[in-house]
Amino acid sequence: MSAVKGPALHIKQNTLSMLGKERGKSQKHHQKQEEALNILSSQIPPMQFPHFERKRQTATSVSREQGMDSIHVSKRQRKLLKTSPPINHTNINFSLSSSSPASSSSYSSSSSASSTSSNLASDYFSPDIMYARRKLVKEICAKYKSNISKTITPHHVKHLYVEDKYMLLYCQVPKAGCSNWKRTLMVLAGQAPNAHSIKHDTVHYGHHLKTLDSFNHQEIMHRLETYTKIMFVREPLERMVSAYRDKFENPNNYYHSLFGKPIISKYRANPSSEALKTGSGVIFKEFVQYLLDVHRPVGMDIHWEQMNQLCNPCLIDYDFIGKFENMNEESDFVLRLTGAPPNVTLPSFKDRNPTDTRTSMQLTQKYFSQVGMLEKQRVYDFYYMDYLMFNYSKPFKDLY
C-alpha cells in the first residue's frame, strides 16, 4: 500500500488548504483559511520557537524547546534509544507507511516557508513552527525507529478519538488537556451545547466518543488518509508529576487500590497495615521507584506512559502536533482550520481537584528534589524519546 499522507498543510497563504481538496468545498474552505490565518496573529510564548525563529525572542525569555536545525545525541543516549520500549504489533493484514520528511508533499520547502512567514503571522507564531515540529518527528523516526513494522493495527489507533462531522482524529495524551479536548469533540458532534456543561465522569466513562479501533480495516484506513490528525504533547517530567499528584495525592480508590497497594508493598520499608489495606499515601520517591523498575509489581498506565508510545507518531502522520504549554492559542488555531464554529473553543478549566495548584516546571523541580541524582537521570532517560521527538530541552542542568 502506498504511503499515507495527511491533508495538505501548505505554508503559503494562498495554499493553506489542508481540508478543501478532499472535501470539494473550496469556496467554503477559503473562508476557513481566512479565519485560521487570523488566529495566527495571537501570540504564543517563545518557548515554542524553532531555531530559525529564535532571533525574535526577547533577552528575558526562557526557552525549554531546543533548536530544530540539528540533533546531537551522545553514544550513551543512542544506546538508550535503541533499547527503548518497542512499539507493539499484532498480525493484522493492513498497513500504513509513514511518509518520509523528504517525500512528504504536505508542505512547501523550508526556504519558501521562511520567506512567507512574515506575511502570514505575528512574530510569535507561524506555520513554520507546525512544519518544523512535524519535520523533527519524521527525522527522529527515520533515525531511531526505521526498523519498526509499518503495519497499523487497532492497537496503534486505540487512543485516537473520532469526530466524523468535522473529519477530526484526536490522539489523547492524558495530563496534556485530553479531558477538555474530549469535551470539545462532544460539542462538535452535537452531544452537548457547550463544553462547560459536561462533567468529568461523562467525558471519561460515558462512552459518548468512538475510538478509531472500533472501526473495521477499511474505515480505519479511510479516516487515517482523509481526516485531520492531531495530538498535543507536554513537557514529559511535568506531565509525569501532574499524573502522580492527580492519582496519588488526592482521593482515588481505583488508583490507590490498583497501583498504590503493590507500590507500597514493594518499595516501602515496614509499611503499616492501613497503608497496605488502602494503598493511600504513595510518596513521590516510591512512585519513581515503581516507574523505573523493570519488574514492576503492576503494569504501566496511560497517564504516565511515554507520549510516543500512546500516539505512535512514527506510524501515524499527524497533521498538527500541538503543545500543552500554548494550549489556548494552538487549539483555537486547529479548530478554526478544521472548520469548527467560531463559538467552539477549548475550555481551560480544571475539573478534577480544582483547588490544587497547576503543575508547573517550578513545582516539578520541587518534587524531583525528593529523589537522588541517579533516579532523576533515569526518569529523564525513561522519557528521553519524548524529549527528543517533541523537542523539549533538559529540565535540569545537571542531566547528561
Side-chain angles (χ1 to χ4, degrees):
M1 181 173 290
S2 60
V4 174
K5 300 172 183 177
L9 187 61
H10 293 292
I11 299 302
K12 294 183 180 179
Q13 182 172 1
N14 64 346
T15 57
L16 186 59
S17 54
M18 187 171 70
L19 306 173
K21 289 184 180 179
E22 284 93 3
R23 303 177 194 179
K25 301 177 181 178
S26 57
Q27 241 184 355
K28 186 176 180 181
H29 185 67
H30 181 70
Q31 295 174 353
K32 296 174 188 175
Q33 296 173 22
E34 304 252 344
E35 293 172 358
L37 289 170
N38 290 335
I39 303 300
L40 292 171
S41 62
S42 63
Q43 294 187 355
I44 288 183
M47 184 195 72
Q48 305 306 320
F49 295 177
H51 182 72
F52 48 76
E53 295 285 329
R54 281 181 177 249
K55 59 177 181 275
R56 301 178 184 177
Q57 294 185 45
T58 62
T60 58
S61 64
V62 178
S63 173
R64 282 189 280 135
E65 185 162 0
Q66 306 181 86
M68 291 186 175
D69 57 341
S70 63
I71 303 166
H72 174 72
V73 184
S74 68
K75 289 182 179 179
R76 188 194 68 84
Q77 291 163 339
R78 288 177 190 274
K79 183 177 179 181
L80 286 168
L81 289 172
K82 289 178 181 177
T83 58
S84 61
I87 294 177
N88 295 323
H89 304 282
T90 56
N91 294 322
I92 296 183
N93 190 26
F94 57 92
S95 66
L96 169 65
S97 299
S98 298
S99 51
S100 67
S103 64
S104 175
S105 61
S106 297
Y107 298 101
S108 305
S109 66
S110 58
S111 59
S112 173
S114 298
S115 66
T116 60
S117 63
S118 60
N119 297 326
L120 282 174
S122 70
D123 285 347
Y124 295 96
F125 187 59
S126 83
D128 290 353
I129 295 175
M130 292 184 287
Y131 169 82
R133 288 178 187 168
R134 285 192 63 195
K135 183 173 182 288
L136 177 64
V137 168
K138 291 177 186 295
E139 289 175 352
I140 297 302
C141 290
K143 283 187 177 183
Y144 303 110
K145 298 287 186 178
S146 60
N147 61 337
I148 64 172
S149 168
K150 298 303 187 289
T151 300
I152 284 287
T153 73
H155 169 80
H156 296 119
V157 298
K158 66 182 181 180
H159 298 306
L160 270 70
Y161 284 85
V162 180
E163 205 302 292
D164 285 316
K165 183 178 179 182
Y166 290 92
M167 300 177 72
L168 188 62
L169 296 178
Y170 163 71
C171 182
Q172 69 161 335
V173 174
K175 312 313 298 179
C178 77
S179 295
N180 284 331
W181 261 110
K182 289 180 185 178
R183 287 186 173 90
T184 303
L185 293 180
M186 290 176 65
V187 173
L188 290 175
Q191 297 176 3
N194 60 74
H196 289 79
S197 65
I198 308 172
K199 295 181 179 180
H200 180 272
D201 286 354
T202 303
V203 171
H204 292 283
Y205 311 117
H207 304 290
H208 295 287
L209 297 170
K210 291 183 178 180
T211 51
L212 193 53
D213 64 338
S214 66
F215 295 86
N216 65 33
H217 154 61
Q218 185 178 359
E219 292 169 331
I220 289 173
M221 297 309 297
H222 170 72
R223 285 166 175 78
L224 286 172
E225 291 169 352
T226 60
Y227 282 23
T228 304
K229 300 173 289 296
I230 68 171
M231 64 179 292
F232 275 79
V233 296
R234 183 178 185 177
E235 204 288 332
L237 263 61
E238 188 175 295
R239 173 176 168 259
M240 171 258 203
V241 170
S242 177
Y244 163 76
R245 295 178 67 210
D246 181 31
K247 303 307 178 189
F248 296 104
E249 287 191 342
N250 291 284
N252 192 314
N253 290 335
Y254 176 81
Y255 277 89
H256 292 184
S257 177
L258 183 62
F259 289 89
K261 289 179 182 179
I263 287 175
I264 290 172
S265 176
K266 182 167 184 179
Y267 306 110
R268 183 175 299 180
N270 302 316
S272 68
S273 58
E274 181 67 16
L276 291 172
K277 180 181 177 181
T278 65
S280 299
V282 171
I283 63 173
F284 185 67
K285 185 176 178 64
E286 292 167 342
F287 178 68
V288 168
Q289 287 177 285
Y290 146 78
L291 188 71
L292 298 176
D293 191 348
V294 294
H295 302 293
R296 297 186 190 99
V298 60
M300 282 296 292
D301 182 79
I302 188 175
H303 290 84
W304 46 83
E305 177 68 280
Q306 296 101 325
M307 295 177 287
N308 72 87
Q309 294 288 330
L310 294 174
C311 294
N312 300 298
C314 293
L315 297 178
I316 299 168
D317 188 16
Y318 287 92
D319 301 293
F320 189 92
I321 300 171
K323 294 292 181 83
F324 173 84
E325 292 79 8
N326 299 325
M327 182 63 80
N328 289 342
E329 296 87 349
E330 298 193 18
S331 63
D332 206 25
F333 173 74
V334 76
L335 284 169
R336 302 293 77 78
L337 200 61
T338 56
N343 64 316
V344 176
T345 58
L346 197 79
S348 59
F349 63 86
K350 189 176 187 291
D351 64 340
R352 280 179 60 82
N353 313 308
T355 59
D356 287 357
T357 305
R358 285 186 181 270
T359 304
S360 62
M361 181 46 63
Q362 184 177 9
L363 196 57
T364 298
Q365 292 171 341
K366 182 178 179 181
Y367 273 83
F368 272 91
S369 68
Q370 302 172 33
V371 301
M373 181 58 220
L374 178 60
E375 288 80 9
K376 190 192 304 183
Q377 180 67 51
R378 290 183 62 204
V379 173
Y380 174 69
D381 293 343
F382 181 81
Y383 290 108
Y384 185 73
M385 181 61 81
D386 282 348
Y387 274 98
L388 197 63
M389 190 174 289
F390 304 119
N391 201 37
Y392 285 101
S393 57
K394 293 179 183 179
F396 307 110
K397 292 180 179 179
D398 50 358
L399 296 172
Y400 59 87

